[in-house]
Amino acid sequence: MSKPKIAFFDFTSCEGCQLNKLNLENDLLDLLELVDIVEFREAMDDKADEYDIAFIEGSISTPTCITRIHDIRRRTKILVALGACAVQGGINAIKNQHSADWVKETVYGEDKYLFPSIPVQPISAVVKVDYEVRGCPMSTPEFLHVLKSLILNRKPEIFDHAVCVECKLKENECVLDKGMFCLGPITRAGCDAICPTFGQYCTGCRGVVSNINKNGAVEMLKQHGFSTKEALNRMKMFCTLELE
Amino acid sequence: MSSTDVKSRLESFNCYYFDKDVTQKFISFLMKKGDVIAPHKTGELSYKYEIVSDATEVVLNYSRTILPLKKAFMPPRETLINFNIKNNQYTKPQISTEPKIFFGIHSYEMQSIKRLDYSFITGLPESNYLTRRENCKFIGVAYKPDEWHFAGSVGIDINETDGFCLYFYPAKNGYIVFEITDEGKNLLDEFGEGSEVTDEYLKLNEDKFQAKIKFHHNRIPEIFTHVYNSKVWEDVAQKCVGCGTCNLLCSTCYCYDVHDEIELDVENGQRDRFWDGCMLNKFAEVAGGENFRDNLGSRNRHRLYRKFKYITNQSDKLHCVGCGRCSRYCPANISLVEIVNDLIDDYTKQQQKEIL
Ligand code: SF4
Ligand code: SF4
């Protein structure tokens, strides 16, 4: 069996997810035994025509993004979205909450006409996404799980329950209970509750669970002393599009 | 519960007085017999059951621990097998049967273990759980109910001693220690340090519960035959965010999921199991994507029916022990006692409409 050809592409993002993969130092060599990496701008110059698996980082935010992602979709068998920007629009989508003109003006000033820009969309709004790896940055163990599963022809198992579950499995003291803000009750697990475990609160980078009870979530945060406005603003930081 | 009830129940047991020092000495004595697992203060507001390494760190006047005692017999995560898919072989991790002594346990918690024993022995016996249950002793302690405990409403008194070999009851500067079983008596005989209990110390009184279910517990299963379509479930669904905390922290919930993970050699791997819960999105999802309980109303209903009806019909026992964890730790402040009381109101209204 020949090794699967995999490629990585970046769209509108900080490229942190790709760097996160390069940080896999311990596993990187083992990984290369399993796959042929045929395209990876962050790490190499080679290019290929076809891929078995394309990993996409970043969101869609310009007309060229759309052409590019269609082209990649045509050339890959499986497409995996990596990280908050690719999966749910992420931080980038905050711009959709403001008028497009104001956003361009603020970022580019008088040159705003030189940069075509469209409202931010997740990859799945434009092409079919087969699997998702969530997080900002994407969770490395989950990335490896997806990759290994695909190599073995298995369907990756991705959680659709709250970070609270992982917190409870670790018997963490609830940070909401301690008076801090936290989005753990509505944010998708898969990060092993890393932020609450280290005394931080969950910012919701992995996006909301499916079937989110949005009003219930706002009411919940109000009961803990946060205003509707603060609750919504914080919920929207990574999830503007999922909460529309 | 009046003080005479407590008295007559506890006074039938032989007892000794332990002051604080003797209590700590006793814990150290127990530590020579095996792992002692007891409540510790582990955060700003929290307690956890942990293996005792220093007797002075054990806390006996605690409200409740975050995770229930089920974690000792069914860990939140455990590896069931290690396997190799190339040569199709597997091994099972060894489970220790070394003696364990659980110290400072509340009566509802002991009763939750009895419920779990039922769940894991009935049908296909669950060997990992049952192996961990071997060689265990339980030593109870009385507690002061806070606003979330409601064990009395499900028929479990504060001073229920069933399951304990010894029972600690707070007294002036120490504890009255009751010998509940021969096992307990043997421990006290060997330890040999308790002093005689004088009337000055023997002031037994059962505290009152603040949270209460309106009906006697033997009527609760019947209520549940009438409220399947109650509007109460929709009201709960408005507030609930489906985080699953109520399942995971429940003393008697035992559902789990199993996950295979393969190493990067794509050859060796392990099969892990970890706690799951009926409040979670994928719990009732089947192949093809159909979800049999796709909304929070039906999930909350299922959660409560599992406590008060389904297993109760088979086991003749309520499978809620009134620890109050589901309500104390619910981020949306949903109280199980309030749900049950609302269902009772709904049922009563229904009944009053009926004419002979
Ligand atoms: S803990 Fe509360 S919010 Fe979370 S699933 Fe249970 S009832 Fe719903
Ligand atoms: S249903 Fe709630 S009160 Fe009853 S045993 Fe479970 S966590 Fe405790």
Side-chain angles (χ1 to χ4, degrees), chain A:
Chain A
M1 193 181 85
S2 66
K3 294 192 213 169
K5 287 189 201 150
I6 69 169
F8 295 91
F9 301 94
D10 52 326
F11 286 73
T12 308
S13 64
C14 69
E15 303 188 5
C17 293
Q18 296 205 36
L19 281 173
N20 213 18
K21 276 188 304 292
L22 294 178
N23 283 342
L24 285 169
E25 281 147 0
N26 292 337
D27 297 323
L28 211 50
L29 288 176
D30 291 333
L31 200 70
L32 292 172
E33 291 281 307
L34 300 176
V35 294
D36 268 335
I37 299 182
V38 293
E39 212 163 318
F40 194 168
R41 190 182 61 80
E42 196 105 341
M44 58 195 270
D45 296 328
D46 284 0
K47 296 222 183 281
D49 293 333
E50 279 190 346
Y51 331 104
D52 293 300
I53 313 170
F55 289 98
I56 313 291
E57 173 195 339
S59 64
I60 304 292
S61 72
T62 66
T64 26
C65 291
I66 298 188
T67 337
R68 261 183 80 215
I69 193 70
H70 277 300
D71 179 51
I72 295 167
R73 181 69 261 195
R74 267 193 296 276
R75 289 190 281 139
T76 187
K77 293 192 186 112
I78 297 172
L79 187 146
V80 182
L82 289 190
C85 299
V87 173
Q88 81 255 26
I91 294 270
N92 303 343
I94 293 178
K95 85 163 188 178
N96 296 11
Q97 296 176 39
H98 305 280
S99 90
D101 210 51
W102 179 83
V103 172
K104 280 193 210 166
E105 181 93 41
T106 310
V107 179
Y108 302 115
E110 348 187 287
D111 293 333
K112 64 180 178 181
Y113 299 106
L114 299 176
F115 300 95
S117 169
I118 55 173
V120 163
Q121 296 170 69
I123 303 298
S124 60
V126 184
V127 295
K128 178 170 177 265
V129 169
D130 299 294
Y131 301 103
E132 294 172 344
V133 178
R134 289 177 175 251
C136 180
M138 63 133 197
S139 130
T140 314
E142 206 172 26
F143 165 74
L144 288 175
H145 171 77
V146 170
L147 183 60
K148 286 180 291 187
S149 304
L150 294 177
I151 290 168
L152 289 168
N153 254 326
R154 296 180 65 206
K155 189 176 164 199
E157 290 176 72
I158 300 294
F159 299 126
D160 184 10
H161 56 236
V163 171
C164 274
V165 170
E166 291 177 332
C167 242
K168 297 302 167 295
L169 292 177
K170 297 181 134 185
E171 204 168 4
N172 288 340
E173 187 166 57
C174 176
V175 300
L176 260 183
D177 223 16
K178 288 199 284 189
M180 286 168 80
F181 183 86
C182 191
L183 287 179
I186 54 165
T187 301
R188 287 211 200 204
C191 52
D192 214 15
I194 184 164
C195 296
T197 303
F198 290 97
Q200 283 302 316
Y201 62 92
C202 172
T203 57
C205 76
R206 297 177 53 82
V208 292
V209 291
S210 63
N211 298 323
I212 165 92
N213 176 2
K214 184 175 153 189
N215 293 339
V218 173
E219 283 308 313
M220 167 191 82
L221 289 167
K222 276 165 77 177
Q223 295 210 35
H224 288 272
F226 304 96
S227 69
T228 307
K229 191 161 175 248
E230 179 174 10
L232 278 172
N233 277 347
R234 299 236 202 186
M235 280 160 68
K236 281 182 177 167
M237 183 154 117
F238 286 94
C239 305
T240 307
L241 299 170
E242 286 185 312
L243 290 168
E244 268 174 355

Side-chain angles (χ1 to χ4, degrees), chain B residues 45-296:
Chain B
L45 333 145
S46 321
Y47 304 93
K48 290 182 193 172
Y49 295 116
E50 284 182 347
I51 297 179
V52 183
S53 57
D54 172 354
T56 61
E57 286 172 359
V58 172
V59 181
L60 287 179
N61 60 341
Y62 65 105
S63 50
R64 63 177 66 63
T65 55
I66 304 177
L67 287 188
L69 205 51
K70 71 176 175 188
K71 76 170 185 180
F73 309 109
M74 184 195 177
R77 292 176 197 271
E78 71 178 300
T79 299
L80 297 178
I81 54 171
N82 294 296
F83 56 76
N84 181 296
I85 51 174
K86 280 253 163 67
N87 59 22
N88 219 4
Q89 286 189 334
Y90 71 91
T91 53
K92 280 188 175 186
Q94 268 277 282
I95 294 176
S96 155
T97 51
E98 293 296 307
K100 291 187 283 283
I101 302 164
F102 296 89
F103 185 80
I105 307 302
H106 293 165
S107 55
Y108 56 80
E109 198 83 313
M110 188 64 238
Q111 291 306 309
S112 77
I113 299 303
K114 301 231 152 179
R115 306 299 189 276
L116 287 173
D117 289 350
Y118 172 86
S119 302
F120 283 123
I121 289 166
T122 311
L124 274 184
E126 209 295 304
S127 68
N128 284 17
Y129 175 90
L130 294 173
T131 311
R132 291 195 180 92
R133 275 289 276 114
E134 285 171 31
N135 271 326
C136 294
K137 290 186 185 53
F138 298 88
I139 298 176
V141 70
Y143 65 97
K144 217 177 166 40
D146 66 10
E147 57 182 297
W148 292 283
H149 289 112
F150 63 96
S153 293
V154 290
I156 303 166
D157 294 336
I158 297 174
N159 296 303
E160 172 61 67
T161 53
D162 171 41
F164 295 134
C165 61
L166 293 170
Y167 188 67
F168 279 59
Y169 189 95
K172 201 171 160 193
N173 300 324
Y175 294 88
I176 313 276
V177 184
F178 292 92
E179 274 176 14
I180 311 298
T181 62
D182 287 347
E183 201 177 40
K185 179 180 177 353
N186 293 341
L187 281 175
L188 290 191
D189 287 350
E190 195 186 328
F191 178 59
E193 289 211 27
S195 48
E196 201 187 307
V197 179
T198 56
D199 274 353
E200 186 200 348
Y201 294 112
L202 196 59
K203 292 201 182 74
L204 300 177
N205 212 333
E206 193 144 27
D207 279 305
K208 295 242 182 324
F209 286 95
Q210 302 166 48
K212 281 196 191 84
I213 293 179
K214 290 181 180 177
F215 276 8
H216 188 273
H217 54 87
N218 71 5
R219 292 185 68 187
I220 303 177
E222 174 60 18
I223 307 288
F224 276 77
T225 57
H226 297 277
V227 293
Y228 195 79
N229 294 316
S230 171
K231 198 183 151 285
V232 170
W233 305 118
E234 284 162 43
D235 299 342
V236 178
Q238 300 284 314
K239 288 173 72 185
C240 171
V241 297
C243 69
T245 294
C246 49
N247 287 142
L248 281 118
L249 298 187
C250 178
S251 334
T252 63
C253 276
Y254 54 78
C255 289
Y256 56 81
D257 197 1
V258 173
H259 205 118
D260 286 350
E261 191 65 67
I262 214 116
E263 284 165 30
L264 270 174
D265 59 9
V266 268
E267 194 177 323
N268 292 294
Q270 64 187 51
R271 170 164 298 173
D272 285 345
R273 103 165 144 191
F274 48 92
W275 296 351
D276 198 355
C278 56
M279 291 306 301
L280 305 179
N281 272 333
K282 290 201 170 179
F283 187 83
E285 191 180 285
V286 293
E290 182 67 31
N291 193 328
F292 289 101
R293 282 188 294 277
D294 64 358
N295 63 74
L296 292 165

